[in-house]
Amino acid sequence: MTEDIERIKKKNLLLSYYNQDDLLAAGDSNRNLPAMSDSEVQIHLRDPYDINSSSFEPDLFLKKLIKEKTLPEIMDFENEVAKETRRLDSEMQTLVSENYNKFISATDTIRQMRSDFKKMEDEMENLVSFMSDITTFNDKINTTFQPKRSEISRLSGINNLLKKLQFVFELPAKLNEFVEKEHSYAKAVFYFTKAKKTLDHYKKMSTFKNIENDCLLIIENLKEKLYGRIDMSDSKPNDILESVDLLSQLGEPIEQLSTKYMNRIEKSLDQDLNALKLDLDLLAIDQKNQKDNNSGKVQSAMDILEFVDHGCNNFLANLSSVIESFTSLFLNQKNSDFKYTDENEEKLNTLIRAYWLKYCDLVRIRFEVEQNLGENTIIVRAVDRFYRRIQTINKQIPNIDLSTEASSIALYVAHLRVNFYLEILKSHFNESLIDLRHQVALIGTSNQPDKKLLNLHDSTFKSLTEQIKNVLSNLQAFIASDISFSAKVYFNEPFCKTYVRENLLVAYLKFIAQTANEYSNGSHDPVPSALLLILSRLCLEFESVAIDYLLTLADEQFFINNKSGITNKKELGDLFRDSAKLLINYYVKVRGINISQMIRKSVETRDWLNTIEPRNVRAVMKRIVEDLTSIDLQVGELFEAGIRKEKGSDSSRNTFMTRQTQRSAAWNLGANSGVDSKLMSNIQKLFAEKIEIFSQVDFNKMSILTGIVKITLKTFLECIRLKTFSKYGLQQIQVDCHYLQMYLWRFVNDENLVFVLLEEILNSSINRCTDVQLMESRVVELICEAV
């Protein structure tokens, strides 16, 4: 409220200065201020003690101030007055500086407006004067020419008629002149169409009839030349369009012109397609020369980018021009001079569709050939360039969708590329197997644990996975952000989900597992047994590590979020684990058969009835232990050791000899008492532990060696059952069995298994011996320890 009073005071001072006291109430009548009557305002303005009043008396104010206030109060008031003075000076300067330019500009504007309005008034007066003069002159002219107006109109009509007659009489000569000049055909048509109405109007007159006949002869000659220009193979497209347009203006039938133009279009498009076919033939010749190492000078074919550019810049450009020109000539002309029919549009669509399919077939063939020649990035760029150009042309044809075939070609090329990389991966895997086979053959049999098999496995596994990663990286070019068709749903999902993940990665993984299965069923030539070990370990590595990593990598790189209808990781893992089992079982079978063949030959080629007293272990038994030691080293490189069932003490390994001593005593007792030895043997078998020879093998060294040992000892047993032994033959078998018992226990997970099988072998020998007399256990131990 205090601020409002201060503002009113300042305003009243200004009003009093400009003698506008009467405007105070009107200026502030609509404001919510304290009510002040006119008398209060007048008193306020006439107060001699009010420093802001126009009636202010300094002397009176000073006397009153000295009388009413103390010295400190007077000094404080002086300071306030000084501050208020400085503030008002500052505000005044600010107001002047801020509004000075506005005042000057307003003054200049008002001055200019006064000058402009004065000029405008003068010009309006002149205009009124001129209009008055024009009106006067117009009245005079009308008055002067009124008698001769009809005559002038008649003479003007006669003049125009004479000019038309002159044009008609000179028309044949002009038409001949224009027809002789190829670039003046349009003028001839223009003049003839212009004079045709006149000639038709006066054709009953012989003179005009003769002129019309002469013109028609000339026009017929012109039509022949125009048709001839359409049929000429070297005619330019613009000349052909002009010829068709001129013939249509001359009244030629639309159907005839459209058919003629269609034939000409087909010739032009055939030329472009033949050029592309020629390039395909040249490419076939180049490939043949490369196979035959023929360096003869033959025109080389275009690369894939040049081929696509040539097709776009020639065939597609020509096709686009055909669409545009045919539309303007036959489809958009619906006036009286052009009879419009839907047949022309149908003709165009049929023609475009037919030649478009022919071109797409050539493009497919070229990309098929390129799969084994070009780089991936170049092929992707070529497809992208082709697709972009088709999208541009497709906008010009409302009734035909060319993008469908373009998308189909893009998918087809991607499918070809995926198949190409799949073959590369398969070839790389087969080459890796061949190289691995050679490396394994070079290693041979070594008893030194130098980790050669493990190194081969690691290098092969790394090579296979790196090759897959490189292929996936190359195929990412198809979904790059700058590729026009990469973001399209009809391309992206089939390419990423079906082609890359399923048809490439999953198919390749299944191929690896299938190839491994072929090695496990003996369909390949005999292979080194170590190769079976490495392949089995590779399958386990894929099952535990590679499958999950590669599928996750593919899903991330190709943004595969929809997992419906795809092969899951567990299915592939089970496939590789089954392959690994088949391989390891086949390895056990092969190594067991190899050792079994040595045993069979050693048993079958020896005369066990006429052998001498044993003094050492047979060499074949030493070879068996050596082979098993070598197998133990090889398997130990790739598989963990496994768990062995431990016995109570090391002395339990002498159980075999203890049982032999007991068996000898029991045999002698049975022989003296008349008990049947075979019956005793069969009774022992009833209480013996049943051993499954061809059981499933686990992925550890103990299980693998146990399987080989079981096959070996089972073969030994079966061979023994086919022979008859003398006393010394039986003792030789006794020595061999004890030697095997000394070394084979360390290779199996349950040494009782070795004990049971060796005991059965010895029992079978005893049953087939003519003179049963076992060697003393102390002597057997001395012979075996001397080896």
Side-chain angles (χ1 to χ4, degrees):
M1 185 173 180
T2 304
E3 294 178 356
D4 293 336
I5 295 174
E6 290 294 330
R7 184 181 58 77
I8 292 175
K9 287 182 179 180
K10 294 178 182 178
K11 189 171 184 181
N12 287 335
L13 290 174
L14 291 173
L15 292 173
S16 64
Y17 179 78
Y18 289 105
N19 295 323
Q20 296 181 5
D21 298 343
D22 55 333
L23 298 177
L24 177 63
D28 286 339
S29 61
N30 59 343
R31 302 185 183 274
N32 298 323
L33 299 175
M36 294 182 67
S37 63
D38 293 341
S39 59
E40 290 176 345
V41 173
Q42 293 296 328
I43 292 172
H44 174 69
L45 293 176
R46 299 293 186 267
D47 188 1
Y49 297 102
D50 189 357
I51 196 171
N52 294 322
S53 174
S54 60
S55 301
F56 175 68
E57 293 292 341
D59 294 335
L60 294 176
F61 179 78
L62 185 60
K63 289 179 181 181
K64 181 182 179 182
L65 189 64
I66 294 172
K67 182 180 178 180
E68 295 179 353
K69 296 184 181 293
T70 62
L71 180 60
E73 291 176 345
I74 293 173
M75 293 180 67
D76 293 338
F77 181 74
E78 180 187 9
N79 292 333
E80 290 179 1
V81 170
K83 289 181 182 179
E84 184 69 17
T85 302
R86 287 193 296 269
R87 185 180 65 79
L88 291 174
D89 289 342
S90 175
E91 290 180 357
M92 183 63 69
Q93 290 176 2
T94 302
L95 287 172
V96 171
S97 62
E98 287 180 352
N99 296 288
Y100 178 76
N101 291 332
K102 297 179 181 179
F103 292 148
I104 298 300
S105 176
T107 302
D108 293 341
T109 303
I110 293 171
R111 188 181 296 112
Q112 184 67 29
M113 287 176 64
R114 288 177 179 176
S115 176
D116 291 342
F117 276 115
K118 186 175 181 180
K119 290 181 180 180
M120 188 179 296
E121 290 176 357
D122 295 340
E123 291 178 356
M124 289 299 294
E125 291 177 356
N126 292 334
L127 181 60
V128 171
S129 176
F130 290 153
M131 292 299 295
S132 178
D133 293 340
I134 291 172
T135 303
T136 302
F137 291 148
N138 185 49
D139 293 340
K140 289 181 180 180
I141 292 171
N142 287 336
T143 303
T144 304
F145 287 99
Q146 183 66 32
K148 299 181 180 179
R149 178 173 294 171
S150 59
E151 183 66 20
I152 292 173
S153 299
R154 186 181 66 80
L155 292 175
S156 178
I158 292 172
N159 183 54
N160 291 333
L161 180 60
L162 290 175
K163 287 182 178 180
K164 290 181 180 179
L165 291 175
Q166 183 181 3
F167 174 78
V168 170
F169 285 119
E170 294 177 354
L171 183 59
K174 287 185 177 181
L175 290 180
N176 274 325
E177 181 183 354
F178 292 144
V179 170
E180 294 299 327
K181 298 177 181 179
E182 184 176 357
H183 298 290
S184 300
Y185 292 164
K187 291 183 178 180
V189 174
F190 173 73
Y191 285 154
F192 177 74
T193 54
K194 184 178 179 181
K196 193 173 187 307
K197 291 183 179 180
T198 303
L199 293 174
D200 290 340
H201 184 70
Y202 296 104
K203 64 181 180 179
K204 294 182 179 180
M205 300 175 64
S206 59
T207 303
F208 287 95
K209 185 65 175 178
N210 293 333
I211 293 174
E212 183 180 15
N213 292 334
D214 294 341
C215 292
L216 290 176
L217 291 175
I218 297 171
I219 293 301
E220 288 298 326
N221 184 27
L222 177 60
K223 289 181 181 179
E224 292 179 2
K225 289 186 176 183
L226 292 176
Y227 277 119
R229 192 161 68 169
I230 293 175
D231 293 332
M232 289 176 61
S233 59
D234 57 347
S235 295
K236 296 180 180 179
N238 291 334
D239 293 339
I240 297 174
L241 292 177
E242 183 187 28
S243 300
V244 175
D245 185 49
L246 293 177
L247 287 170
S248 65
Q249 293 180 36
L250 292 174
E252 290 298 294
I254 291 297
E255 296 302 322
Q256 179 179 340
L257 287 178
S258 63
T259 303
K260 194 77 173 177
Y261 189 60
M262 282 286 185
N263 295 335
R264 185 64 182 83
I265 289 173
E266 291 178 1
K267 292 181 181 179
S268 178
L269 295 177
D270 284 336
Q271 289 178 356
D272 295 334
L273 292 181
N274 289 334
L276 297 177
K277 291 178 181 179
L278 177 62
D279 184 73
L280 292 177
D281 295 337
L282 291 175
L283 185 62
I285 295 174
D286 288 345
Q287 291 179 340
K288 183 178 180 181
N289 290 338
Q290 290 177 1
K291 291 180 180 179
D292 299 340
N293 295 325
N294 186 2
S295 59
K297 294 183 179 180
V298 181
Q299 181 182 355
S300 60
M302 297 180 287
D303 62 29
I304 186 63
L305 282 176
E306 292 175 341
F307 183 87
V308 171
D309 286 340
H310 182 81
C312 293
N313 297 332
N314 291 274
F315 177 79
L316 292 182
N318 195 4
L319 193 66
S320 176
S321 176
V322 164
I323 296 168
E324 182 179 358
S325 60
F326 193 91
T327 302
S328 63
L329 289 174
F330 301 106
L331 301 183
N332 293 339
Q333 299 291 342
K334 300 183 180 180
N335 51 35
S336 58
D337 294 335
F338 248 93
K339 183 181 178 181
Y340 177 79
T341 60
D342 292 336
E343 295 180 0
N344 289 328
E345 185 175 3
E346 185 66 25
K347 285 182 181 179
L348 176 64
N349 293 340
T350 303
L351 177 72
I352 297 303
R353 185 69 181 172
Y355 277 90
W356 166 244
L357 293 177
K358 291 180 181 179
Y359 175 65
C360 289
D361 291 339
L362 293 178
V363 172
R364 284 192 180 92
I365 294 173
R366 185 62 178 84
F367 276 112
E368 288 175 1
V369 177
E370 190 66 23
Q371 294 307 312
N372 298 325
L373 301 176
E375 297 180 1
N376 189 68
T377 54
I378 295 178
I379 293 177
V380 174
R381 284 172 54 196
V383 177
D384 180 59
R385 191 172 301 179
F386 169 79
Y387 186 84
R388 289 178 186 272
R389 189 59 179 270
I390 296 305
Q391 297 306 309
T392 303
I393 297 179
N394 194 50
K395 297 177 182 178
Q396 304 176 11
I397 313 176
N399 297 328
I400 298 180
D401 187 12
L402 302 182
S403 61
T404 303
E405 289 294 330
S407 305
S408 175
I409 289 178
L411 268 176
Y412 180 68
V413 174
H415 182 63
L416 289 177
R417 205 61 187 165
V418 167
N419 290 342
F420 171 73
Y421 278 121
L422 179 60
E423 293 302 320
I424 286 181
L425 290 174
K426 290 180 179 180
S427 177
H428 176 262
F429 179 70
N430 291 328
E431 291 175 359
S432 299
L433 288 183
I434 294 173
D435 182 65
L436 188 62
R437 186 169 181 170
H438 291 165
Q439 295 293 331
V440 169
L442 292 176
I443 291 176
T445 57
S446 173
N447 293 332
Q448 301 298 324
D450 51 3
K451 303 296 182 182
K452 290 183 179 180
L453 294 183
L454 181 61
N455 294 335
L456 287 178
H457 164 267
D458 293 342
S459 62
T460 303
F461 179 75
K462 182 179 180 180
S463 174
L464 294 177
T465 53
E466 288 296 326
Q467 187 72 8
I468 296 175
K469 289 164 62 177
N470 292 336
V471 168
L472 293 178
S473 177
N474 290 337
L475 288 175
Q476 280 187 291
F478 280 95
I479 59 171
S481 58
D482 58 338
I483 301 301
S484 58
F485 54 82
S486 62
K488 305 297 181 182
V489 177
Y490 51 75
F491 175 84
N492 188 280
E493 185 172 354
F495 173 73
C496 298
K497 181 179 176 181
T498 304
Y499 292 171
V500 176
R501 193 186 193 277
E502 295 297 315
N503 294 353
L504 176 70
L505 183 55
V506 173
Y508 178 56
L509 294 176
K510 289 182 178 180
F511 170 77
I512 294 177
Q514 181 182 359
T515 305
N517 290 341
E518 292 176 358
Y519 277 88
S520 66
N521 57 23
S523 59
H524 289 268
D525 295 334
V527 295
S529 56
L531 179 61
L532 299 175
L533 275 180
I534 296 176
L535 286 178
S536 178
R537 183 59 192 172
L538 275 176
C539 291
L540 285 179
E541 201 75 15
F542 271 96
E543 184 263 340
S544 60
V545 178
I547 291 177
D548 182 71
Y549 170 72
L550 293 175
L551 292 180
T552 303
L553 179 65
D555 293 344
E556 292 176 353
Q557 288 184 343
F558 293 89
F559 310 103
I560 302 174
N561 298 320
N562 183 10
K563 301 299 179 64
S564 61
I566 63 176
T567 306
N568 56 42
K569 300 173 183 178
K570 184 179 183 304
E571 181 181 347
L572 289 175
D574 294 341
L575 183 64
F576 272 89
R577 192 164 190 86
D578 292 341
S579 297
K581 282 185 177 181
L582 292 175
L583 284 167
I584 204 64
N585 286 328
Y586 188 65
Y587 173 80
V588 170
K589 178 181 177 182
V590 170
R591 296 312 301 261
I593 290 175
N594 291 339
I595 298 176
S596 298
Q597 288 177 349
M598 291 191 299
I599 292 178
R600 184 176 60 82
K601 290 180 180 179
S602 67
V603 173
E604 291 178 351
T605 57
R606 191 180 184 97
D607 186 2
W608 294 98
L609 292 175
N610 298 316
T611 185
I612 62 175
E613 183 179 359
R615 290 290 180 264
N616 53 28
V617 179
R618 288 190 299 147
V620 67
M621 297 302 158
K622 300 177 184 178
R623 177 65 183 276
I624 290 172
V625 174
E626 291 175 357
D627 287 353
L628 289 174
T629 303
S630 175
I631 294 173
D632 180 75
L633 293 174
Q634 286 185 347
V635 176
E637 291 186 34
L638 300 174
F639 296 91
E640 56 187 24
I643 301 174
R644 175 186 288 112
K645 295 181 182 179
E646 295 294 340
K647 294 295 182 181
S649 64
D650 293 340
S651 61
S652 62
R653 294 180 185 120
N654 295 324
T655 305
F656 182 71
M657 289 305 301
T658 304
R659 293 292 299 272
Q660 286 187 41
T661 304
Q662 295 174 355
R663 185 183 300 106
S664 178
W667 179 269
N668 293 331
L669 178 62
N672 295 330
S673 61
V675 179
D676 190 356
S677 62
K678 292 184 179 180
L679 178 60
M680 294 180 61
S681 176
N682 291 331
I683 293 174
Q684 291 177 357
K685 288 180 180 180
L686 291 176
F687 295 97
E689 181 181 356
K690 181 173 178 59
I691 299 174
E692 186 178 356
I693 303 300
F694 295 99
S695 60
Q696 290 294 322
V697 180
D698 296 329
F699 298 108
N700 59 73
K701 183 177 69 173
M702 286 295 175
S703 179
I704 295 171
L705 267 296
T706 299
I708 297 174
V709 169
K710 287 194 295 185
I711 294 175
T712 301
L713 296 182
K714 182 63 174 179
T715 303
F716 193 12
L717 174 61
E718 296 301 325
C719 291
I720 291 297
R721 288 175 175 173
L722 299 177
K723 292 293 181 178
T724 303
F725 299 90
S726 63
K727 179 181 71 174
Y728 293 134
L730 174 61
Q731 293 176 358
Q732 183 66 60
I733 295 298
Q734 182 184 3
V735 171
D736 293 343
C737 288
H738 182 70
Y739 179 80
L740 292 177
Q741 191 272 337
M742 289 175 58
Y743 291 98
L744 295 188
W745 66 268
R746 67 187 62 165
F747 299 125
V748 297
N749 50 21
D750 185 4
E751 61 185 77
N752 187 54
L753 181 145
V754 176
F755 170 77
V756 171
L757 288 175
L758 289 176
E759 185 179 23
E760 190 172 353
I761 291 171
L762 188 58
N763 286 336
S764 181
S765 301
I766 292 174
N767 292 334
R768 288 161 179 78
C769 181
T770 58
D771 183 12
V772 177
Q773 186 175 351
L774 296 174
M775 187 178 290
E776 295 182 5
S777 59
R778 184 177 58 82
V779 177
V780 173
E781 290 178 356
L782 290 175
I783 293 174
C784 292
E785 290 174 358
V787 176

